[in-house]
Amino acid sequence: MREVGFAVGRTSTKWITVRLEDEVLLNDLVKVGDKLLGVVRSVSYANPTMSPYSPFTPTNIESVRAYEYLNANIELYGTVEGGKFDPRVLTAIPTGTPVYLIEEGDLEGLSFIENPIFIGEHPTSKWPLPLDPRAIDYHLAVVGSTGSGKSHLVRLLVKELVRVGRKVVIFDHTGADYAPYFRDHVIPDSNVFPDLLSLAEVLANKVLGKEYLDDIEVALYAYLFSNGEYETARMFMESLGFGNRDPDMGPILELMRISPKDVKWDDKSFASILRMVMGYLKRKEHTIAKSLFRLVRSGISMKSFNGREYDIEKLVDHIIDSELTVLDISSETLPIRYGIMRGVISGIMERAESKGKRMDITIVVDEAQVYARGQPPTESLSDVARRGRKWGIGLILASQRWVSDLDMNIRANINSVLFSSLQSSSDIDDIGKVVNIGNIDVGVLGTGDFYITGLLSPFRRPILIHTFGDLDE
Ligand SMILES: Nc1ncnc2c1ncn2[C@@H]1O[C@H](COP(=O)(O)OP(=O)(O)OP(=O)(O)O)[C@@H](O)[C@H]1O
Ligand SMILES: [Mg+2]
């Protein structure tokens, strides 16, 4: 620690002005007197003889330099007492109080939180910032323009959360951001049987047209019940009350016990059953013919769904029993990814509620713009944002923009935001609506520089970190 100046002017419990005798930089940490901790938010030169309103016009610049002084504005973070940090300042300090620059090693040994996690260090003091993993239950967003280092930061977070015993499930949208880093924990979407509704949506959107969603969904259920056997499928349809038969609830109830991953999917049998179902639904003959023709021409093969190890149910079991699961959702079509995400997230919530116990699971969604606003999984993500805390289910969402990428209901329930340089300048004001951002300067942030704001910040006020370059640091 080294003395750099003293407090001047009017001091408060939030801000002080410091007359500098030595240089400090933006975001430097300082100690004020022997108790208060703060951060440099701005630095400015002043010279009374150079005031725009001064009648005195200096002719020789050198002669008035002597009147020049340097002020720094310090935002106070809190109080250090008895080796502990408390994020409150209860009384102002007198003017003249000395101010010291915090240097490497100065904050070591100071206790902030129990069992902290670490993802980076404060740039000038090199102090590894201790973070409270419990803040993740209150949800977290990582925002920054492309290449700012979001995915890297989330990988560091994941490693640390796993280290302190928190379970993590990652939805890897690209298959390149997480799967290669956590190889032993990857489940590819091609090994997951999607829920039948999502599958029906894919077939309807890609092949027949949205108006045939019902036909396809019913055909899938008839196939599931009959294992592709035509006469059994017919019996299933009749038990639903088609073909002038009295409805019988038996087959429907039995359907709940069959997992689609245990059924043998065959294109020819599916086409015949779809044809039968469309007949029962009173589709015109030429519509049926056109549909079958399109199905065959689409190139979508039901066979590709054979031999998948997981259905949604089994996947949720696996996630709950594993320290880390990376779902590589980069190969399936979007509706199937949506279905997997929606099913897994609501499955985890349902398990927590039915068992009535905390899950201690963190759900990570990178490239959140694809999922977290106006898309099928958005509702289940909002539900976790709203009610997940009670069950120890936290969200980490990463995307380039704040307002346009994340649903309003999700944003309103996020309590920590980590942000780097922003793509949209209005985002910073909007982030200020959910966490305290004070008057920080985001102009000069490079790759790996992030402000930590909200609950995750040990100070409850923004602090700049540079993320560790190496995942194993
Ligand atoms: N602290 C760091 N030190 C060194 N390299 C870093 C650091 N943080 C990120 N990088 C590197 O910067 C590059 C971009 O990082 P990353 O992929 O995490 O960005 P991103 O914000 O996720 O971008 P996008 O929005 O395009 O997904 C990567 O090569 C990454 O390894
Ligand atoms: Mg990324």
Side-chain angles (χ1 to χ4, degrees), residues 386-411:
R386 239 180 289 118
R387 303 186 304 122
R389 179 183 55 81
K390 181 175 171 200
W391 304 113
I393 304 173
L395 288 178
I396 298 178
L397 303 174
S399 74
Q400 289 178 16
R401 305 175 64 160
W402 169 250
V403 176
S404 59
D405 291 353
L406 307 175
D407 185 86
M408 198 175 63
N409 294 311
I410 298 178
R411 289 200 311 270

Side-chain angles (χ1 to χ4, degrees), residues 45-59:
Y45 270 108
N47 186 332
T49 66
M50 298 289 244
S51 155
Y53 308 107
S54 166
F56 166 72
T57 317
T59 46

Side-chain angles (χ1 to χ4, degrees), residues 151-439:
S151 302
H152 180 71
L153 182 150
V154 174
R155 288 193 291 269
L156 289 162
L157 259 178
V158 166
K159 272 223 141 170
E160 281 293 272
L161 288 172
V162 170
R163 178 178 66 79
V164 296
R166 222 191 138 96
K167 292 169 206 158
V168 181
V169 53
I170 305 173
F171 291 92
D172 189 359
H173 173 81
T174 60
D177 285 322
Y178 301 90
Y181 298 86
F182 304 106
R183 280 189 195 287
D184 299 341
H185 305 273
V186 181
I187 296 179
D189 52 7
S190 57
N191 203 11
V192 179
F193 201 101
D195 62 307
L196 287 189
L197 177 59
S198 308
L199 186 53
E201 278 169 358
V202 175
L203 289 169
N205 290 342
K206 286 234 153 191
V207 187
L208 305 191
K210 284 194 176 69
E211 62 274 33
Y212 301 108
L213 181 62
D214 291 347
D215 307 51
I216 295 170
E217 204 179 340
V218 176
L220 285 170
Y221 287 125
Y223 193 105
L224 184 63
F225 181 84
S226 64
N227 202 3
E229 211 273 307
Y230 193 81
E231 281 312 316
T232 318
R234 180 187 295 288
M235 185 206 99
F236 176 79
M237 290 306 290
E238 298 203 343
S239 75
L240 293 176
F242 289 105
N244 301 324
R245 278 265 309 272
D246 286 340
D248 165 15
M249 286 300 118
I252 288 256
L253 294 177
E254 202 179 320
L255 201 57
M256 290 173 51
R257 284 195 292 273
I258 309 173
S259 165
K261 75 176 166 51
D262 301 328
V263 167
K264 192 167 166 14
W265 295 88
D266 170 76
D267 294 300
K268 210 167 144 198
S269 316
F270 180 69
S272 336
I273 289 175
L274 178 64
R275 184 182 207 305
M276 177 207 325
V277 167
M278 291 183 89
Y280 276 122
L281 296 180
K282 305 233 169 354
R283 294 293 188 185
K284 296 196 176 72
E285 278 304 315
H286 64 261
T287 305
I288 297 178
K290 183 184 73 185
S291 302
L292 293 176
F293 192 56
R294 285 188 184 168
L295 180 66
V296 173
R297 294 253 315 205
S298 76
I300 291 185
S301 168
M302 300 302 290
K303 265 197 205 135
S304 71
F305 292 103
N306 282 331
R308 298 198 175 198
E309 199 180 332
Y310 297 90
D311 57 7
I312 300 291
E313 196 80 349
K314 191 172 165 196
L315 190 55
V316 172
D317 285 338
H318 176 90
I319 291 165
I320 290 175
D321 289 339
S322 314
E323 57 175 14
L324 173 64
T325 309
V326 181
L327 293 173
D328 178 345
I329 49 170
S330 61
S331 68
E332 285 292 356
T333 54
L334 267 182
I336 292 201
R337 300 179 194 195
Y338 288 151
I340 293 177
M341 187 182 288
R342 183 175 56 191
V344 165
I345 293 174
S346 52
I348 294 173
M349 282 293 279
E350 277 160 24
R351 291 298 165 83
E353 286 178 324
S354 66
K355 288 188 183 154
K357 68 169 206 203
R358 280 179 60 87
M359 291 273 143
D360 286 322
I361 286 188
T362 301
I363 296 170
V364 177
V365 180
D366 200 340
E367 306 290 344
Q369 74 280 1
V370 186
Y371 306 95
R373 187 162 176 183
Q375 298 300 343
T378 307
E379 191 41 50
S380 40
L381 287 167
S382 297
D383 190 39
V384 174
R386 239 180 289 118
R387 303 186 304 122
R389 179 183 55 81
K390 181 175 171 200
W391 304 113
I393 304 173
L395 288 178
I396 298 178
L397 303 174
S399 74
Q400 289 178 16
R401 305 175 64 160
W402 169 250
V403 176
S404 59
D405 291 353
L406 307 175
D407 185 86
M408 198 175 63
N409 294 311
I410 298 178
R411 289 200 311 270
N413 286 294
I414 285 179
N415 284 277
S416 311
V417 182
L418 281 62
F419 58 89
S420 189
S421 59
L422 293 167
Q423 204 139 318
S424 155
S425 56
S426 58
D427 272 357
I428 183 83
D429 299 329
D430 227 81
I431 291 172
K433 290 180 187 161
V434 298
V435 291
N436 172 350
I437 51 168
N439 63 341

Side-chain angles (χ1 to χ4, degrees), residues 145-152 155 367 400 447-448 466-469:
S145 45
T146 178
S148 55
K150 300 179 293 296
S151 302
H152 180 71
R155 288 193 291 269
E367 306 290 344
Q400 289 178 16
T447 298
H466 186 74
T467 52
F468 298 134

